[in-house]
Amino acid sequence: MREEAVVPVDIIDDMSSENDDIDDEQQHISDQPAGQLACPLDLKSSRINALLRLRCRVEDAILGGYIYGKNKHKSLSSRLCITEDLRDISLWGVPLLPSKGNPSTDIVLMNFLRAKDYSVYDAFKMLRKTLRWRRDFRVADILEEKFSPELESLWYTNGKDKEGRLLCYNVFRNIKNKELEEEIWGRHHHHQECLRWRVHIMEKAIQQLDFKQGGVNSILQIIDLGNSPGNSWKEVRWINRKMMSLVHDHYPGIIYKNIFINVPVWFSTVHALNLRMITQRSKNTFIFVKPSKVTETLLKYISPENLLAHYGGLKTENDVEFSTDDKVLEISLKPCSIGLIKIPVKEVEVTITWDMMVVGNEVTYREEFIPDDDCSYGVLLQEEKKMVDSVRNSFHIREEGKIVITIDNPTYKKKTAFYRYKTKPSVPIYMYLK
């Protein structure tokens, strides 16, 4: 990832002065040729025009040395030096100078335009503020910072959603050491360190984005508040509130959805009040999910084979039997009814392995092998049992037949069952013992 150029400049930062700066630039920009996009974008002509105008503003601001803000106290020679340095300025590893011809520049600028409903004035102002915040918060150095291993374990990436977006998990319940929990959450002066850690993990996730047309340009973030530190909810709320503000102000388009799962009712109520401070577009990226709806909600965005098993999916770590490329089938279970999953097996001397899950559980199931030959006996593989998690089983096939899984849904709710299976040649263990 290319390092972001950070140039120390003195800026006049009050809003009225900044507005005057942008108004002053408008006359200069209107005389500039719009140029051409680095890559064609499938957009309305009005939005392409907005992008071209923003490109001109960014180009002029970088070459004029005022991308961070107007600087009225520098000599001409100092300004030329600053301009030379600013030519290499980048955001999220993408060069910002449009004349460099990097296709990713347009993708980044479009994020700011979308966040401001294609207002060039507001998008440019937002970009300026973002660059100033990154300089003042020292974001360029944050990836090199080291944090506690326990704190690092609270965040990880695992898989992709249905659209190919990176899945980022922030799991507060991973803290096992009570003393460390108190150290992290119980002391006010550690708030800033925790905030830097949250920005740190955001930047790590951004490193894996493409910033290409049709590529992966955003992430799906899942924040698990289950078993969060009970004595430190105030600190957790403070950090989440600050991050919501930072994401809204300085990471436009990066987070596709923020899904808070296992949240208590009062927590979602508090954050509903905080959401009044941000735009409707950003508000739609926040979803609060109570424990009973976690699997159902996550499956709207994540396929079963990519959803971790402890969230109700089929994915397990170091799985030697299945991969995310294996096809997953589904059946619907009507309320107060019995559903059947039939897996035909036409090969012999193979072992068939299958996974199964039902969204929301609350069902019972039974597994058996039924041979095609009417003169053969069926084999009961699993007695009727209440489902509490995803199920995996296997059976060595010695004659043609089918695996039949009977699912009893006693509830008044329609449910969905997902399953997958595969066969592979094998020899029964007893053959090795002969």
Side-chain angles (χ1 to χ4, degrees):
M1 176 178 175
R2 180 181 298 185
E3 294 184 357
E4 299 177 5
V6 178
V7 181
V9 294
D10 298 328
I11 54 176
I12 302 173
D13 200 16
D14 61 272
M15 187 60 67
S16 60
S17 178
E18 183 181 67
N19 293 347
D20 293 341
D21 295 341
I22 297 178
D23 292 337
D24 292 341
E25 295 153 25
Q26 182 60 48
Q27 180 62 41
H28 178 61
I29 292 169
S30 62
D31 297 331
Q32 295 294 321
Q36 296 180 347
L37 298 182
C39 64
L41 298 176
D42 186 15
L43 298 171
K44 296 180 181 178
S45 58
S46 60
R47 295 179 178 180
I48 292 179
N49 182 56
L51 176 58
L52 291 173
R53 289 164 55 205
L54 180 59
R55 283 167 54 92
C56 288
R57 286 202 169 192
V58 173
E59 181 91 13
D60 288 346
I62 293 175
L63 296 181
Y66 55 84
I67 188 63
Y68 289 104
K70 280 288 185 178
N71 180 12
K72 301 179 180 180
H73 303 292
K74 291 289 182 179
S75 64
L76 179 60
S77 60
S78 298
R79 290 181 182 180
L80 292 175
C81 180
I82 290 173
T83 301
E84 284 296 320
D85 293 333
L86 287 177
R87 288 177 182 272
D88 293 327
I89 192 172
S90 63
L91 177 61
W92 307 323
V94 176
L96 282 182
L97 189 64
S99 59
K100 288 193 172 184
N102 191 314
S104 299
T105 303
D106 291 338
I107 302 298
V108 170
L109 295 182
M110 279 301 300
N111 282 357
F112 287 87
L113 282 171
R114 291 190 187 99
K116 295 300 181 181
D117 293 323
Y118 297 93
S119 167
V120 176
Y121 170 86
D122 292 334
F124 181 65
K125 185 167 65 173
M126 184 183 190
L127 175 62
R128 268 183 164 180
K129 288 182 177 179
T130 296
L131 292 175
R132 288 202 296 266
W133 169 78
R134 294 177 70 85
R135 180 198 60 193
D136 297 340
F137 201 71
R138 296 178 291 110
V139 176
D141 303 325
I142 208 164
L143 287 173
E144 306 300 325
E145 296 182 15
K146 301 297 181 182
F147 297 90
S148 163
E150 287 280 356
L151 196 58
E152 290 280 6
S153 70
L154 301 182
W155 178 87
Y156 60 92
T157 60
N158 193 312
K160 297 181 179 180
D161 73 356
K162 294 179 180 179
E163 304 299 326
R165 301 181 188 90
L166 187 68
L167 296 178
C168 298
Y169 294 85
N170 190 187
V171 187
F172 287 104
R173 66 182 179 192
N174 275 357
I175 299 182
K176 298 288 192 294
N177 188 322
K178 294 299 180 181
E179 293 181 359
L180 180 63
E181 179 181 305
E182 178 66 22
E183 176 75 11
I184 293 174
W185 304 113
R187 295 166 60 180
H188 183 75
H189 66 271
H190 278 201
H191 288 182
Q192 198 68 14
E193 179 184 353
C194 289
L195 186 62
R196 288 192 65 79
W197 165 72
R198 289 293 296 272
V199 174
H200 169 81
I201 63 179
M202 275 287 295
E203 294 294 320
K204 285 179 65 175
I206 289 174
Q207 282 191 312
Q208 302 181 53
L209 300 182
D210 296 335
F211 291 113
K212 296 178 181 178
Q213 185 179 10
V216 180
N217 302 321
S218 60
I219 64 179
L220 181 67
Q221 186 163 251
I222 300 168
I223 303 171
D224 187 354
L225 298 177
N227 299 324
S228 290
N231 296 328
S232 307
W233 273 112
K234 181 178 180 181
E235 287 75 14
V236 174
R237 291 201 310 271
W238 183 87
I239 292 171
N240 281 324
R241 185 169 63 249
K242 290 291 291 183
M243 276 306 298
M244 287 169 62
S245 176
L246 289 180
V247 168
H248 173 259
D249 294 338
H250 305 306
Y251 290 94
I254 296 299
I255 303 293
Y256 172 65
K257 295 289 183 183
N258 281 287
I259 306 179
F260 291 78
I261 61 176
N262 295 315
V263 299
V265 175
W266 65 264
F267 186 88
S268 57
T269 302
V270 169
H271 279 282
L273 298 175
N274 294 333
L275 292 178
R276 295 185 303 175
M277 306 297 293
I278 63 179
T279 63
Q280 184 62 44
R281 183 186 296 272
S282 295
K283 189 182 301 184
N284 292 336
T285 67
F286 292 91
I287 301 173
F288 300 93
V289 186
K290 58 185 180 181
S292 61
K293 296 290 185 180
V294 169
T295 303
E296 179 182 345
T297 302
L298 293 181
L299 284 174
K300 294 179 181 179
Y301 305 97
I302 309 169
S303 59
E305 62 270 25
N306 273 300
L307 181 60
L308 296 176
H310 59 266
Y311 292 127
L314 296 174
K315 187 173 185 178
T316 58
E317 293 300 319
N318 304 316
D319 193 345
V320 297
E321 296 291 345
F322 292 98
S323 71
T324 55
D325 296 327
D326 292 315
K327 185 177 181 180
V328 175
L329 305 173
E330 66 177 89
I331 64 168
S332 295
L333 304 173
K334 296 180 180 180
C336 301
S337 65
I338 294 177
L340 296 176
I341 296 176
K342 298 180 180 181
I343 305 175
V345 186
K346 299 303 180 183
E347 301 175 273
V348 296
E349 299 303 331
V350 298
T351 293
I352 181 170
T353 303
W354 63 91
D355 281 343
M356 180 190 63
M357 58 161 283
V358 176
V359 180
N361 296 321
E362 299 179 315
V363 300
T364 60
Y365 70 99
R366 185 178 74 253
E367 299 172 329
E368 57 188 325
F369 172 74
I370 300 178
D372 290 343
D373 188 346
D374 293 338
C375 297
S376 298
Y377 291 101
V379 181
L380 180 64
L381 305 176
Q382 173 62 60
E383 296 180 344
E384 187 168 336
K385 182 180 179 181
K386 185 177 181 180
M387 180 175 289
V388 295
D389 208 343
S390 60
V391 175
R392 172 170 294 184
N393 206 347
S394 61
F395 182 65
H396 180 73
I397 305 296
R398 301 189 64 184
E399 59 180 317
E400 295 182 2
K402 56 181 171 290
I403 300 293
V404 178
I405 306 174
T406 304
I407 306 174
D408 183 7
N409 177 20
T411 70
Y412 291 96
K413 297 178 290 185
K414 181 180 178 181
K415 292 182 173 292
T416 303
F418 296 94
Y419 67 99
R420 61 183 175 182
Y421 63 91
K422 65 168 38 177
T423 59
K424 60 181 179 182
S426 63
V427 178
I429 295 179
Y430 71 84
M431 294 293 292
Y432 290 103
L433 302 178
K434 290 185 177 181

